[in-house]
Amino acid sequence: MKKIKIRLAVAALVAVTMTFFGGQTLAYYTTVGKATSVVTSGGVQFLIHETTDQGTPFPQEGVYILPGDIISKKVRIESDCEHPFYLRVKIVYGVDCQTLSAEDCFKLDINEAYWQYHDGWYYYKGIVSPGETTPDVFSHVQIVGSKVDNRYIGKTLQLTVVAHAVQSEHNPIEDNNTYTASGWPKE
């Protein structure tokens, strides 16, 4: 009887140890992937360019911000294929703390002469021809001072540009609204 109790105790200790170390191993091997700016959908391809006012690439590591800052960030899309296409862009906001909302912290100067807002997306009002680069989706990001308070100290605010394209050849639209084109991918 004593041997059975010792064996049960050893088995329980091994199970607890495996659970502890197994959880640590699982956390150790967890990674985060990051997408590049090259997007392909069927026969259309494009590149997302993010630059500053000086024409240099926007820093991948981001920039240090203060409430009220206006950050230079020009976003353009370049056709990298032989077929014309319709294009839409979505701005995705994030913050490294779940209790805070980043969407209210940014004010973008959307170029409404070329981009139309519909159902959470900005649709380019024309067709992107082969080799063409669109006008800026936006060129500056303002950090809204009344929203970025002490809760954001040490936090990282994120602004990600997501883009989709569908071919324009043999894909008619209604009333010059590119959002009526067929084939837009689901989110």
Side-chain angles (χ1 to χ4, degrees):
M1 188 68 147
K2 193 173 187 178
K3 286 183 180 182
I4 293 174
K5 285 183 182 180
I6 291 173
R7 286 182 184 169
L8 286 174
V10 169
L13 182 60
V14 168
V16 169
T17 304
M18 292 302 289
T19 301
F20 176 74
F21 286 116
Q24 293 296 325
T25 302
L26 185 61
Y28 179 76
Y29 287 106
T30 302
T31 61
V32 176
K34 192 170 187 179
T36 62
S37 294
V38 179
V39 180
T40 304
S41 177
V44 295
Q45 299 184 104
F46 56 86
L47 303 168
I48 300 174
H49 297 288
E50 298 178 321
T51 61
T52 66
D53 282 339
Q54 292 76 34
T56 59
F58 191 81
Q60 287 186 340
E61 68 277 1
V63 294
Y64 180 78
I65 60 167
L66 293 172
D69 279 354
I70 297 176
I71 309 299
S72 168
K73 181 176 177 125
K74 294 178 178 251
V75 175
R76 298 180 188 108
I77 316 302
E78 177 188 4
S79 170
D80 190 30
C81 66
E82 298 178 9
H83 300 280
F85 55 81
Y86 300 119
L87 180 68
R88 70 180 182 180
V89 171
K90 185 174 198 169
I91 312 301
V92 180
Y93 302 93
V95 65
D96 65 358
C97 179
Q98 298 299 327
T99 61
L100 305 176
S101 169
E103 188 168 359
D104 294 332
C105 297
F106 297 112
K107 182 178 179 186
L108 306 176
D109 65 332
I110 300 294
N111 186 348
E112 294 178 357
Y114 295 97
W115 297 90
Q116 177 184 17
Y117 185 79
H118 181 76
D119 289 339
W121 293 85
Y122 292 96
Y123 289 80
Y124 183 60
K125 292 182 178 181
I127 294 174
V128 182
S129 298
E132 181 182 13
T133 300
T134 68
D136 296 340
V137 179
F138 59 90
S139 59
H140 293 88
V141 179
Q142 180 179 359
I143 309 306
V144 180
S146 62
K147 299 290 184 177
V148 181
D149 56 23
N150 288 339
R151 296 176 298 162
Y152 290 87
I153 292 175
K155 303 295 182 211
T156 300
L157 297 172
Q158 299 156 342
L159 186 142
T160 304
V161 177
V162 177
H164 290 163
V166 295
Q167 74 179 49
S168 60
E169 298 165 303
H170 310 291
N171 192 357
I173 58 173
E174 299 172 18
D175 300 322
N176 290 325
N177 291 315
T178 56
Y179 61 83
T180 63
S182 296
W184 290 115
K186 295 187 190 230
E187 301 201 39

